[in-house]
């Protein structure tokens, strides 16, 4: 596997990951406005949940489109030949860097199978593209454990540090693919942040001090698709 210089990996971690996230959480948690956290990066997302003929979830397909400001910072960081664009080699480096950086955040994916948390297996590759001044990341991955189409399960996309806001513009951006999965009932859940905070204030305050990265508490805010089979 190609190895990239460590400083550049750390630079992308600063952009995507935990640097500054704890301070952001602290300020948001105790702000007069009541906002729990303030994202610094914004992305529009699409998720396709795919089931196979055996009645199992076989793949999660993701497309993320990032805001202009963040995209410009990625262009500045990875444009090695200073031609104001990202060529195929530079885009591959972006994808590989994200692949290495987001593993500890479960690739922003939360999966619950009948109440049990399930990890996402590491994607083989994350494809990067740059269109209309915006960075796109595309990848497919499988749950680390088989998920049978039985009972209830949910799949969502969120940044556990809340440093990045992952937004699904419409409910049609969370899609069920496969005849067996389409036979299950499903709905898109968009939690209201104010309601979540009001209903869980004591728990969230305690969770911040015990888990300042937000790994657990931010799941309450995740937009997700829920299935009942």
């Amino acid at each position: 596997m190609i190895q990239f210089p460590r400083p550049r990996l750390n630079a992308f971690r600063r952009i995507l990951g935990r640097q500054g996230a704890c301070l952001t959480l602290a300020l948001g948690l105790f702000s007069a406005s009541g906002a729990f956290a303030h994202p610094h990066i914004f992305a529009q997302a699409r998720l396709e949940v795919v089931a196979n003929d055996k009645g199992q979830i076989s793949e999660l397909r993701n497309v993320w489109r990032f805001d202009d400001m963040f995209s410009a910072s990625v262009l500045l960081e990875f444009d090695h030949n200073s031609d104001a664009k990202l060529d195929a080699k530079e885009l591959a480096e972006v994808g590989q860097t994200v692949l290495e950086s987001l593993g500890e955040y479960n690739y922003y994916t939360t999966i619950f199978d009948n109440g049990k948390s399930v990890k996402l297996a590491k994607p083989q590759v994350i494809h990067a593209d740059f269109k209309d001044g915006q960075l796109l990341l595309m990848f497919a991955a499988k749950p680390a454990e088989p998920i049978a189409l039985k009972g209830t399960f949910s799949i969502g996309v969120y940044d556990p540090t809340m440093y990045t806001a992952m937004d699904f513009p419409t409910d049609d951006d969370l899609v069920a693919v496969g005849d067996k999965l389409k036979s299950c009932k499903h709905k898109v859940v968009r939690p209201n942040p104010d309601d979540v905070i009001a209903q869980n204030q004591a728990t969230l305050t305690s969770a911040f001090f015990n888990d300042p990265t937000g790994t657990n508490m931010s799941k309450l805010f995740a937009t997700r698709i829920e299935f009942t089979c």
Side-chain angles (χ1 to χ4, degrees):
M1 183 177 66
I2 300 174
Q3 297 294 323
F4 296 105
R6 197 66 185 176
R8 194 159 300 280
L9 172 59
N10 290 337
F12 207 88
R13 282 182 183 273
R14 285 198 301 272
I15 299 172
L16 269 182
R18 89 177 25 163
Q19 299 297 327
C22 294
L23 176 59
T24 300
L25 283 170
L27 292 175
L29 182 61
F30 298 110
S31 68
S33 66
F36 184 66
H38 301 281
H40 289 232
I41 303 169
F42 300 87
Q44 292 185 343
R46 177 179 174 84
L47 172 67
E48 295 183 357
V49 181
V50 184
N52 58 27
D53 293 337
K54 297 179 180 179
Q56 295 178 327
I57 299 300
S58 58
E59 194 172 52
L60 305 179
R61 300 170 182 166
N62 291 270
V63 179
W64 301 345
R65 180 187 291 271
F66 289 88
D67 66 89
D68 293 348
M69 184 174 295
F70 174 71
S71 299
S73 68
V74 173
L75 175 62
L76 182 64
E77 179 67 28
F78 288 86
D79 180 20
H80 305 313
N81 57 11
S82 301
D83 62 353
K85 62 182 180 180
L86 295 178
D87 59 29
K89 184 177 180 180
E90 292 163 345
L91 287 169
E93 182 179 352
V94 172
Q96 182 66 26
T97 303
V98 177
L99 184 66
E100 295 175 10
S101 299
L102 293 189
E104 64 183 298
Y105 303 108
N106 203 39
Y107 300 97
Y108 290 178
T109 302
T110 175
I111 307 171
F112 283 99
D113 179 13
N114 290 289
K116 176 186 175 183
S117 180
V118 177
K119 292 288 187 179
L120 187 72
K122 183 178 180 179
Q124 291 186 348
V125 63
I126 292 182
H127 300 281
D129 201 354
F130 209 90
K131 292 185 177 180
D132 300 323
Q134 292 182 308
L135 173 69
L136 283 83
L137 297 177
M138 298 155 284
F139 67 95
K142 300 178 180 179
E145 302 174 22
I147 297 179
L149 305 186
K150 295 180 180 179
T152 61
F153 60 92
S154 67
I155 301 171
V157 177
Y158 75 106
D159 173 7
T161 69
M162 290 191 239
Y163 201 75
T164 303
M166 306 297 293
D167 176 53
F168 293 88
T170 72
D171 289 357
D172 291 337
D173 291 303
L174 294 113
V175 184
V177 179
D179 292 338
K180 290 187 177 295
L181 187 56
K182 289 181 179 179
S183 66
C184 300
K185 294 181 180 179
H186 68 271
K187 63 180 180 179
V188 174
V189 178
R190 296 177 179 272
N192 183 301
D194 291 336
D195 291 343
V196 171
I197 293 170
Q199 295 168 10
N200 300 274
Q201 185 67 60
T203 303
L204 290 171
T205 303
S206 174
F208 170 74
F209 291 106
N210 293 318
D211 180 24
T213 64
T215 301
N216 292 318
M217 58 188 173
S218 60
K219 293 178 181 179
L220 298 172
F221 298 85
T223 297
R224 59 190 182 273
I225 184 169
E226 294 185 347
F227 294 89
T228 303
C229 301

